[in-house]
């Protein structure tokens, strides 16, 4: 009977796989045709899709130890607050700013290390990332959310930002002081290049790709993608550590290397392991971030290759 069931189900599974592959191929073909025939219209539709989260920020965060948080409303923004493992007085406060379409689960190892180091950790939920039907979250909305939070709370002891969260943090710093020390991970400082990479993931080619980059930039009004960040960086007193994977396919090292010239006291460390997202879970990133923010490291995270520092 079991053998018969296995034989019966095998063709069905193969059929479902083949059907899914055919649907994907058909969609890509239709997109390719549309991009050639109507490049501007196709780019407009895809640009809105690009800045809209594909799911909720907290999805797949059900049960494991350490995933308990309190949802806090602050200046119209949502924070997920994680208490320190051992509560005390004057616990350090750390803010985490995710990137566009990020997920809470990406940061759980980092959050746990900070909790064990005695910190209260606030994770900023970017606009539209908790809505039942996700709403667009362009650069302008990200920056405003960070500014609103910064204007309504005391300066954090430390901040960690990832991907476009780094850009949002940078531009927010022209009006607010956010933290005494900061860590940027996978920072796409040449933002048009990241968006062009995203358009390439859709299979776009010029001229549709060029329309796509311009349209995403327009959606971020009043902050186009090529807004200079260097003048803001030059005025920052807070120490900054920038951690970047050498094999980041979305943001090459050359796109972030200028930070050390623009930001006084900034350090760039390039790691030989990880990529744009998986780097967040590397022991090297967790250890470097914990040490740089002045938190106690209470657990042995294992021996890892030291990152290479570029001054």
């Amino acid at each position: 009977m079991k053998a018969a069931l296995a034989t019966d189900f095998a063709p069905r599974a193969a059929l479902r796989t083949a059907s899914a592959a055919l649907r994907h191929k058909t969609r890509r073909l239709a997109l390719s045709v549309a991009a050639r025939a109507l490049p501007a219209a196709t780019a407009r539709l895809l640009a809105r899709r690009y800045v809209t989260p594909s799911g909720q920020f907290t999805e797949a965060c059900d049960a494991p130890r350490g995933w308990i948080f309190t949802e806090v409303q602050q200046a119209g923004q949502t924070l997920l607050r994680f208490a320190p493992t051992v509560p005390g007085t004057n616990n350090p406060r750390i803010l985490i700013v995710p990137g566009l379409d990020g997920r809470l689960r990406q940061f759980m190892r980092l959050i746990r290390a900070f909790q064990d180091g005695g910190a209260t950790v606030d994770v900023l939920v970017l606009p539209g990332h908790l809505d039942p039907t996700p709403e667009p979250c362009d650069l302008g909305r990200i920056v405003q959310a960070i500014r609103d939070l910064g204007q309504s709370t005391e300066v954090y002891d430390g901040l960690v930002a990832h991907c476009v969260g780094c850009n949002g943090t940078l531009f927010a710093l022209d009006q607010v002081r956010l933290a005494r020390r900061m860590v940027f991970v996978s920072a796409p400082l040449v933002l048009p290049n990241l968006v062009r990479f995203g358009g390439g993931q859709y299979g776009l080619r010029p001229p549709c790709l060029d329309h796509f980059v311009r349209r995403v930039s327009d959606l971020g009004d009043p902050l186009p993608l090529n807004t200079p960040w260097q003048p803001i960086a030059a005025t920052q007193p807070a120490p900054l550590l920038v951690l970047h994977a050498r094999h980041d396919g979305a943001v090459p090292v050359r796109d972030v290397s200028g930070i050390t010239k623009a930001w006084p006291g900034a350090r760039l460390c390039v790691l030989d392991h990880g990529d744009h997202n998986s780097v967040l879970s590397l022991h090297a990133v967790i250890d470097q971030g914990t040490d740089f923010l002045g938190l106690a490291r209470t657990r042995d995270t294992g021996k890892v290759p030291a990152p290479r520092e570029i001054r």
Side-chain angles (χ1 to χ4, degrees):
M1 180 64 177
K2 291 182 179 179
L5 284 174
T7 304
D8 184 44
F9 286 136
R12 297 184 192 179
L15 183 60
R16 285 195 297 268
T17 301
S19 178
L22 180 60
R23 288 195 300 271
H24 176 74
K25 186 176 181 179
T26 302
R27 284 195 298 266
R28 296 291 291 207
L29 179 60
L31 177 58
S32 177
V33 171
R36 290 196 299 270
L38 300 166
T42 303
R44 183 171 60 252
L45 292 173
L46 289 178
R48 183 176 175 85
R49 176 180 174 184
Y50 180 79
V51 301
T52 302
S54 61
Q56 289 192 326
F57 182 66
T58 55
E59 66 184 20
C61 293
D62 304 328
R65 185 178 74 93
W67 294 53
I68 300 173
F69 56 82
T70 303
E71 189 172 310
V72 178
Q73 297 299 315
Q74 181 85 28
Q77 307 305 319
T78 300
L79 297 172
L80 307 183
R81 180 162 294 165
F82 293 79
T85 304
V86 180
T89 57
N90 299 319
N91 292 99
R93 298 166 58 248
I94 306 296
L95 174 65
I96 292 179
V97 182
L100 174 65
D101 204 22
R103 296 293 185 273
L104 178 60
R105 61 178 180 269
Q106 294 176 282
F107 301 92
M108 289 313 301
R109 292 187 67 184
L110 198 61
I111 291 170
R112 190 63 185 175
F114 291 169
Q115 288 179 292
D116 287 349
T120 297
V121 183
D122 284 349
V123 182
L124 175 63
V125 180
L126 298 184
H129 283 62
L130 276 184
D131 299 340
T133 301
E135 293 291 326
C137 182
D138 54 67
L139 179 60
R141 293 190 68 191
I142 294 173
V143 173
Q144 192 58 55
I146 299 171
R147 284 176 179 163
D148 289 347
L149 176 63
Q151 290 168 352
S152 67
T153 187
E154 296 181 4
V155 174
Y156 282 88
D157 296 291
L159 176 149
V160 177
H162 177 243
C163 191
V164 179
C166 302
N167 305 79
T169 298
L170 253 174
F171 288 120
L173 288 171
D174 70 338
Q175 296 186 15
V176 295
R177 186 186 178 201
L178 293 168
R180 296 181 177 87
R181 302 178 73 84
M182 288 184 259
V183 179
F184 285 178
V185 184
S186 304
L189 297 182
V190 186
L191 200 48
N193 287 356
L194 176 69
V195 175
R196 184 167 291 272
F197 173 82
Q201 296 296 97
Y202 287 136
L204 301 183
R205 299 291 182 269
C208 188
L209 180 57
D210 301 321
H211 284 293
F212 173 79
V213 175
R214 286 195 294 269
R215 185 56 184 165
V216 172
S217 184
D218 291 343
L219 289 173
D221 184 67
L223 285 170
L225 296 177
N226 59 359
T227 302
W229 52 266
Q230 293 86 346
I232 301 173
T235 65
Q236 298 308 309
L240 172 69
L241 174 65
V242 182
L243 299 170
H244 205 85
R246 185 184 311 281
H247 304 295
D248 187 328
V251 183
V253 174
R254 65 177 177 273
D255 281 5
V256 72
S257 58
I259 190 68
T260 56
K261 295 180 181 179
W263 185 306
R267 292 191 294 124
L268 170 62
C269 291
V270 179
L271 299 106
D272 290 324
H273 298 80
D275 56 28
H276 188 73
N277 289 315
S278 67
V279 70
L280 287 166
S281 296
L282 291 183
H283 290 315
V285 168
I286 294 169
D287 291 348
Q288 288 265 318
T290 300
D291 292 344
F292 185 77
L293 297 178
L295 304 177
R297 207 193 302 176
T298 59
R299 294 187 297 180
D300 181 12
T301 55
K303 295 182 178 179
V304 295
R308 183 167 68 91
E309 179 176 331
I310 299 178
R311 296 185 181 276

